[in-house]
Amino acid sequence: MSKYSISEFLKQTEQVDKDQGLFELETQRMLEVNLDGQVWAKAGSMISYNGKIKFEREGMFEHGLSKTFKKAFTGEGTSLMKATGRGKLYLADQGKKVTVLDLRNEVIHVNGNDLLAFEPSINWDIKLMKRIAGMMAGGLFNVRCEGTGMVAITSHYEPLTLRVTPGNPVITDPNATVAWSGGLQPEFQTDITLKTFFGRGSGESIQMKFAGDGFVVVQPFEEVYYHSK
């Protein structure tokens, strides 16, 4: 049989149940949700589904509103959708690598553009990085996820996790920062001496400084966001 036959293609690419639970990594860049109830996902991330599933896109929230559950979040137009029903739901985001985290009464902060899906048992809240509003075009929002349940995040290529220990802070580029542990509160700083190395419109390099005890996840890619016109 030819290795390029249709039957061989099906053998290599056909969906296979792995019995991993609610979230399954069908491939490194595709998340399968074995839905029986409800899940939150990034709006526009659905690529296929079967069964009876209803999708609801939530409206924009007011920036001054502060409560645990908000109907949507925005980071240059990014928002959440709620999928309700029973069936198989397949999610992906621009071919980015998907990582599933099983939180056990833990907290993680995720860049608003890198949150793909999470269980309804997760408490989430929007955090606006007000200090850099106007200083850079994107990365202004992150989502604080807390509780017990599955959270799926995305990254361009393989993520790298850096340990942060007392006395040894970690400095990152905001556009390459994917997530960080709940106990860390990043500070923003600028480095004018680096302006010749970065094509920033502001002429400065904006950095995130993580100090304390925890970890920060970065990707080998600068994700640039644009304000919708």
Coordinates of all heavy atoms in Angstrom, one line a residue, residues 43-108:
A43 N -13.3 33.2 22.2 CA -14.2 33.5 21.1 C -13.5 33.3 19.8 O -12.4 33.8 19.6 CB -14.8 34.8 21.2
G44 N -14.1 32.5 18.9 CA -13.5 32.3 17.6 C -12.5 31.1 17.5 O -11.9 30.8 16.5
S45 N -12.4 30.4 18.7 CA -11.4 29.3 18.7 C -12.0 27.9 18.3 O -11.3 26.9 18.1 CB -10.8 29.1 20.1 OG -11.9 28.8 21.1
M46 N -13.4 27.9 18.1 CA -14.0 26.6 17.7 C -13.7 26.3 16.2 O -13.9 27.1 15.3 CB -15.5 26.7 17.9 CG -16.3 25.4 17.6 SD -16.6 25.1 15.8 CE -17.9 26.3 15.5
I47 N -13.1 25.1 16.0 CA -12.8 24.7 14.6 C -13.8 23.6 14.2 O -14.0 23.4 13.0 CB -11.4 24.3 14.4 CG1 -11.0 23.2 15.4 CG2 -10.5 25.5 14.6 CD1 -9.6 22.6 15.1
S48 N -14.3 22.8 15.1 CA -15.3 21.7 14.8 C -15.9 21.2 16.0 O -15.4 21.4 17.1 CB -14.5 20.6 14.1 OG -15.4 19.5 13.8
Y49 N -17.1 20.6 15.9 CA -17.8 20.0 17.0 C -18.8 19.0 16.5 O -19.2 19.0 15.3 CB -18.4 21.0 17.9 CG -19.7 21.7 17.4 CD1 -20.9 21.1 17.7 CD2 -19.6 22.8 16.7 CE1 -22.1 21.7 17.2 CE2 -20.8 23.4 16.2 CZ -22.0 22.9 16.5 OH -23.2 23.5 16.0
N50 N -19.2 18.1 17.3 CA -20.3 17.2 17.1 C -21.2 17.1 18.3 O -20.7 17.5 19.4 CB -19.9 15.8 16.5 CG -19.1 15.1 17.5 OD1 -19.4 15.0 18.7 ND2 -18.0 14.4 17.1
G51 N -22.4 16.7 18.2 CA -23.3 16.7 19.3 C -24.2 17.9 19.3 O -24.3 18.6 18.3
K52 N -24.8 18.2 20.4 CA -25.7 19.4 20.6 C -25.0 20.3 21.5 O -25.0 20.2 22.7 CB -27.0 19.0 21.1 CG -27.9 18.1 20.2 CD -29.2 17.9 20.7 CE -30.1 17.1 19.7 NZ -31.5 16.8 20.2
I53 N -24.4 21.4 20.9 CA -23.6 22.4 21.7 C -24.1 23.8 21.3 O -24.3 24.1 20.1 CB -22.1 22.3 21.4 CG1 -21.6 20.9 21.8 CG2 -21.4 23.4 22.2 CD1 -20.1 20.6 21.5
K54 N -24.4 24.6 22.2 CA -24.9 26.0 22.0 C -23.7 26.9 22.4 O -23.1 26.8 23.4 CB -26.1 26.3 22.9 CG -26.6 27.7 22.7 CD -27.8 27.9 23.6 CE -28.3 29.4 23.5 NZ -29.4 29.6 24.5
F55 N -23.5 27.9 21.5 CA -22.4 28.9 21.7 C -23.0 30.2 22.0 O -23.9 30.7 21.3 CB -21.5 28.9 20.5 CG -20.8 27.6 20.2 CD1 -21.3 26.7 19.3 CD2 -19.6 27.3 20.8 CE1 -20.7 25.5 19.0 CE2 -19.0 26.1 20.6 CZ -19.5 25.2 19.7
E56 N -22.5 30.9 23.0 CA -23.0 32.2 23.4 C -21.8 33.1 23.5 O -20.9 32.8 24.3 CB -23.8 32.2 24.7 CG -25.1 31.5 24.6 CD -25.7 31.4 26.0 OE1 -26.5 32.4 26.3 OE2 -25.4 30.5 26.8
R57 N -21.7 34.2 22.7 CA -20.6 35.2 22.9 C -21.1 36.3 23.8 O -22.1 36.9 23.6 CB -20.2 35.7 21.5 CG -19.0 36.7 21.6 CD -18.4 36.9 20.3 NE -17.2 37.8 20.5 CZ -16.3 37.9 19.5 NH1 -16.3 37.2 18.4 NH2 -15.3 38.8 19.7
E58 N -20.3 36.5 24.9 CA -20.7 37.5 25.9 C -20.3 38.9 25.4 O -19.3 39.0 24.7 CB -20.0 37.1 27.2 CG -20.4 35.7 27.7 CD -21.9 35.6 28.1 OE1 -22.3 36.1 29.1 OE2 -22.6 35.1 27.2
G59 N -21.0 39.9 25.9 CA -20.7 41.2 25.5 C -19.5 41.8 26.3 O -19.0 41.2 27.2
M60 N -19.1 43.0 25.9 CA -18.0 43.7 26.5 C -18.3 44.1 27.9 O -19.5 44.4 28.2 CB -17.6 44.9 25.7 CG -17.1 44.6 24.3 SD -15.5 43.7 24.4 CE -14.7 44.3 22.9
F61 N -17.3 44.1 28.8 CA -17.5 44.6 30.1 C -17.1 46.0 30.3 O -16.3 46.5 29.5 CB -16.8 43.7 31.2 CG -15.3 43.9 31.2 CD1 -14.7 44.7 32.2 CD2 -14.5 43.3 30.3 CE1 -13.4 45.0 32.2 CE2 -13.1 43.5 30.3 CZ -12.6 44.4 31.3
E62 N -17.6 46.7 31.3 CA -17.1 48.0 31.5 C -15.8 48.0 32.3 O -15.7 47.3 33.3 CB -18.2 48.8 32.3 CG -19.5 49.0 31.5 CD -20.5 49.8 32.3 OE1 -20.1 50.6 33.2 OE2 -21.7 49.6 32.0
H63 N -14.9 48.8 32.0 CA -13.6 48.8 32.6 C -13.6 49.1 34.1 O -12.8 48.6 34.9 CB -12.6 49.7 31.9 CG -12.3 49.3 30.5 ND1 -11.6 48.1 30.2 CD2 -12.6 49.9 29.3 CE1 -11.5 48.0 28.9 NE2 -12.1 49.1 28.3
G64 N -14.6 49.8 34.5 CA -14.6 50.1 35.9 C -15.3 49.1 36.8 O -15.2 49.1 38.0
L65 N -15.9 48.1 36.1 CA -16.5 47.0 36.9 C -15.5 46.0 37.4 O -14.6 45.6 36.8 CB -17.5 46.3 35.9 CG -18.5 45.3 36.5 CD1 -19.4 46.0 37.5 CD2 -19.3 44.6 35.4
S66 N -15.7 45.7 38.7 CA -14.8 44.8 39.4 C -15.6 43.7 40.2 O -16.1 44.0 41.2 CB -13.8 45.5 40.3 OG -13.0 44.6 41.0
K67 N -15.6 42.5 39.7 CA -16.2 41.4 40.4 C -15.6 40.1 39.9 O -15.0 40.1 38.8 CB -17.7 41.4 40.3 CG -18.3 41.4 38.9 CD -19.8 41.5 39.0 CE -20.5 41.6 37.6 NZ -21.9 41.7 37.7
T68 N -15.8 39.0 40.6 CA -15.1 37.8 40.3 C -15.4 37.3 38.9 O -14.5 37.0 38.1 CB -15.5 36.7 41.3 OG1 -15.2 37.2 42.6 CG2 -14.7 35.4 41.0
F69 N -16.7 37.2 38.5 CA -17.1 36.8 37.2 C -17.5 38.0 36.3 O -18.4 38.7 36.6 CB -18.3 35.8 37.3 CG -17.9 34.5 37.8 CD1 -18.0 34.2 39.2 CD2 -17.3 33.5 37.0 CE1 -17.6 33.0 39.7 CE2 -17.0 32.3 37.6 CZ -17.1 32.0 38.9
K70 N -16.8 38.2 35.2 CA -17.2 39.2 34.3 C -17.6 38.5 33.0 O -17.2 37.4 32.7 CB -16.0 40.1 34.0 CG -15.5 40.9 35.2 CD -14.5 41.9 34.7 CE -14.1 42.9 35.9 NZ -13.3 42.2 36.9
K71 N -18.5 39.1 32.2 CA -19.0 38.5 31.1 C -18.1 38.3 29.9 O -18.2 37.5 29.1 CB -20.3 39.2 30.6 CG -21.5 39.1 31.6 CD -22.7 39.7 31.0 CE -23.9 39.5 31.9 NZ -25.1 40.1 31.3
A72 N -17.0 39.2 29.9 CA -16.1 39.1 28.8 C -14.8 39.8 29.2 O -14.8 40.5 30.1 CB -16.7 39.7 27.5
F73 N -13.8 39.5 28.4 CA -12.6 40.4 28.6 C -12.1 40.8 27.2 O -12.4 40.2 26.2 CB -11.5 39.6 29.4 CG -10.8 38.5 28.6 CD1 -9.7 38.7 27.8 CD2 -11.3 37.2 28.7 CE1 -9.1 37.7 27.1 CE2 -10.7 36.2 28.0 CZ -9.6 36.4 27.2
T74 N -11.4 41.9 27.3 CA -10.9 42.4 26.0 C -9.4 42.7 26.1 O -8.9 43.3 27.0 CB -11.6 43.7 25.6 OG1 -11.0 44.2 24.4 CG2 -11.5 44.8 26.6
G75 N -8.7 42.3 25.1 CA -7.3 42.6 24.9 C -7.2 42.8 23.4 O -6.8 41.9 22.7
E76 N -7.5 44.0 22.9 CA -7.5 44.2 21.5 C -8.6 43.4 20.9 O -8.4 42.7 19.8 CB -6.2 44.0 20.8 CG -5.2 45.2 21.1 CD -5.1 45.6 22.5 OE1 -4.5 44.9 23.3 OE2 -5.7 46.7 22.8
G77 N -9.8 43.3 21.5 CA -10.9 42.6 20.9 C -11.1 41.2 21.3 O -12.1 40.5 20.9
T78 N -10.2 40.6 22.0 CA -10.3 39.2 22.5 C -11.5 39.1 23.5 O -11.6 39.9 24.4 CB -9.0 38.7 23.1 OG1 -8.0 38.9 22.2 CG2 -9.1 37.3 23.5
S79 N -12.3 38.1 23.3 CA -13.4 37.9 24.3 C -13.7 36.4 24.4 O -13.2 35.6 23.7 CB -14.6 38.6 23.8 OG -15.1 38.1 22.5
L80 N -14.5 36.1 25.4 CA -14.8 34.7 25.7 C -16.1 34.3 25.1 O -17.0 35.1 24.9 CB -14.9 34.5 27.2 CG -13.6 34.6 28.0 CD1 -13.9 34.6 29.5 CD2 -12.7 33.4 27.7
M81 N -16.3 33.0 24.9 CA -17.6 32.5 24.5 C -17.9 31.3 25.5 O -17.0 30.7 26.0 CB -17.6 32.0 23.1 CG -16.7 30.8 22.8 SD -16.9 30.3 21.0 CE -15.7 28.9 21.0
K82 N -19.1 31.0 25.7 CA -19.6 29.9 26.6 C -20.2 28.9 25.7 O -21.1 29.1 24.9 CB -20.6 30.5 27.6 CG -21.1 29.4 28.5 CD -21.9 30.1 29.7 CE -23.1 30.8 29.1 NZ -23.9 31.4 30.2
A83 N -19.6 27.6 25.8 CA -20.2 26.5 25.1 C -20.9 25.6 26.1 O -20.4 25.2 27.1 CB -19.0 25.7 24.4
T84 N -22.2 25.3 25.8 CA -23.0 24.5 26.6 C -23.7 23.4 25.9 O -24.2 23.6 24.7 CB -24.1 25.4 27.2 OG1 -23.6 26.6 27.9 CG2 -24.9 24.6 28.3
G85 N -23.7 22.2 26.5 CA -24.3 21.1 25.8 C -23.5 19.8 26.0 O -22.8 19.6 27.0
R86 N -23.6 18.9 25.0 CA -23.0 17.6 25.1 C -22.4 17.2 23.7 O -23.2 17.3 22.8 CB -24.0 16.5 25.6 CG -23.3 15.2 25.9 CD -24.3 14.3 26.6 NE -23.6 13.0 27.0 CZ -24.2 12.1 27.7 NH1 -25.5 12.2 28.1 NH2 -23.6 11.0 28.1
G87 N -21.2 16.9 23.7 CA -20.6 16.5 22.4 C -19.1 16.7 22.5 O -18.5 16.9 23.6
K88 N -18.4 16.6 21.3 CA -17.0 16.8 21.3 C -16.7 18.2 20.6 O -17.3 18.4 19.5 CB -16.3 15.7 20.4 CG -16.3 14.4 21.2 CD -15.5 13.4 20.4 CE -15.4 12.0 21.1 NZ -14.7 12.1 22.4
L89 N -15.9 19.0 21.2 CA -15.6 20.3 20.8 C -14.1 20.4 20.6 O -13.4 20.1 21.4 CB -16.1 21.3 21.8 CG -15.7 22.8 21.7 CD1 -16.3 23.4 20.4 CD2 -16.2 23.6 22.9
Y90 N -13.8 20.9 19.4 CA -12.4 21.1 19.0 C -12.0 22.6 19.0 O -12.6 23.3 18.3 CB -12.0 20.4 17.7 CG -12.3 18.9 17.8 CD1 -13.5 18.3 17.4 CD2 -11.3 18.0 18.3 CE1 -13.7 17.0 17.5 CE2 -11.5 16.7 18.4 CZ -12.7 16.2 18.0 OH -13.0 14.8 18.1
L91 N -10.9 22.9 19.7 CA -10.5 24.3 19.8 C -9.1 24.5 19.4 O -8.2 23.6 19.6 CB -10.6 24.8 21.3 CG -12.0 24.7 21.9 CD1 -11.9 25.1 23.4 CD2 -13.1 25.5 21.2
A92 N -8.8 25.6 18.7 CA -7.4 25.9 18.4 C -7.3 27.4 18.2 O -8.3 28.1 18.1 CB -7.0 25.2 17.1
D93 N -6.1 27.9 18.2 CA -5.9 29.4 18.1 C -4.6 29.6 17.3 O -3.5 29.6 17.8 CB -5.7 30.0 19.5 CG -5.6 31.5 19.4 OD1 -6.0 32.1 18.3 OD2 -5.2 32.2 20.4
Q94 N -4.8 29.9 16.0 CA -3.7 30.3 15.1 C -2.6 29.3 15.1 O -1.4 29.7 14.9 CB -3.3 31.7 15.4 CG -4.4 32.7 15.2 CD -3.9 34.1 15.6 OE1 -2.7 34.3 15.9 NE2 -4.8 35.1 15.5
G95 N -2.8 28.0 15.3 CA -1.8 27.0 15.2 C -0.8 27.1 16.4 O 0.2 26.4 16.4
K96 N -1.2 27.8 17.5 CA -0.3 27.9 18.7 C -0.3 26.6 19.4 O -1.3 25.8 19.4 CB -0.8 29.0 19.6 CG -0.6 30.4 18.9 CD -1.4 31.5 19.6 CE -0.9 31.8 21.0 NZ -1.7 32.9 21.5
K97 N 0.7 26.3 20.1 CA 0.9 25.1 20.9 C 0.0 25.2 22.1 O -0.1 26.2 22.8 CB 2.3 24.9 21.4 CG 2.5 23.6 22.2 CD 4.0 23.5 22.6 CE 4.2 22.3 23.5 NZ 4.0 21.0 22.8
V98 N -0.8 24.1 22.5 CA -1.7 24.1 23.6 C -1.1 23.4 24.8 O -0.5 22.3 24.6 CB -3.0 23.4 23.2 CG1 -4.0 23.4 24.3 CG2 -3.6 24.1 21.9
T99 N -1.2 23.9 25.9 CA -0.8 23.3 27.2 C -2.0 23.3 28.1 O -2.6 24.3 28.3 CB 0.4 24.1 27.8 OG1 1.5 24.2 26.9 CG2 0.8 23.5 29.1
V100 N -2.2 22.1 28.7 CA -3.3 22.0 29.7 C -2.7 21.9 31.1 O -1.8 21.2 31.4 CB -4.1 20.7 29.4 CG1 -5.2 20.5 30.5 CG2 -4.8 20.7 28.0
L101 N -3.3 22.7 32.0 CA -2.9 22.8 33.4 C -4.1 22.4 34.2 O -5.2 22.9 34.1 CB -2.5 24.2 33.7 CG -1.3 24.8 32.9 CD1 -1.1 26.3 33.3 CD2 -0.1 24.0 33.1
D102 N -3.8 21.4 35.1 CA -4.8 21.0 36.1 C -4.6 21.7 37.4 O -3.8 21.2 38.2 CB -4.7 19.4 36.2 CG -5.9 18.8 37.0 OD1 -6.8 19.6 37.4 OD2 -5.9 17.6 37.2
L103 N -5.4 22.7 37.6 CA -5.2 23.5 38.9 C -5.8 22.7 40.0 O -6.9 22.2 39.9 CB -5.9 24.9 38.7 CG -5.3 25.8 37.7 CD1 -5.9 27.2 37.9 CD2 -3.8 25.9 37.6
R104 N -5.1 22.7 41.2 CA -5.6 22.1 42.4 C -5.6 23.2 43.5 O -4.7 23.3 44.2 CB -4.7 20.9 42.8 CG -4.8 19.8 41.8 CD -6.1 19.1 41.7 NE -6.2 18.1 40.7 CZ -7.3 17.4 40.4 NH1 -8.4 17.6 41.1 NH2 -7.3 16.5 39.5
N105 N -6.7 23.9 43.5 CA -6.8 25.0 44.5 C -5.6 26.0 44.3 O -5.0 26.4 45.3 CB -7.0 24.5 45.9 CG -7.5 25.6 46.8 OD1 -8.2 26.5 46.4 ND2 -7.1 25.5 48.1
E106 N -5.3 26.3 43.1 CA -4.1 27.1 42.8 C -4.5 28.3 42.0 O -5.7 28.4 41.5 CB -3.1 26.3 42.0 CG -2.5 25.1 42.8 CD -1.8 24.1 42.0 OE1 -2.4 23.5 41.1 OE2 -0.6 23.9 42.2
V107 N -3.6 29.3 41.8 CA -3.8 30.5 41.1 C -2.8 30.6 40.0 O -1.6 30.4 40.2 CB -3.8 31.7 42.0 CG1 -4.0 33.0 41.2 CG2 -4.8 31.6 43.1
I108 N -3.2 31.0 38.8 CA -2.2 31.4 37.7 C -2.8 32.6 37.0 O -4.0 32.7 36.8 CB -2.0 30.2 36.8 CG1 -0.8 30.5 35.9 CG2 -3.2 29.8 36.0 CD1 -0.3 29.3 35.1

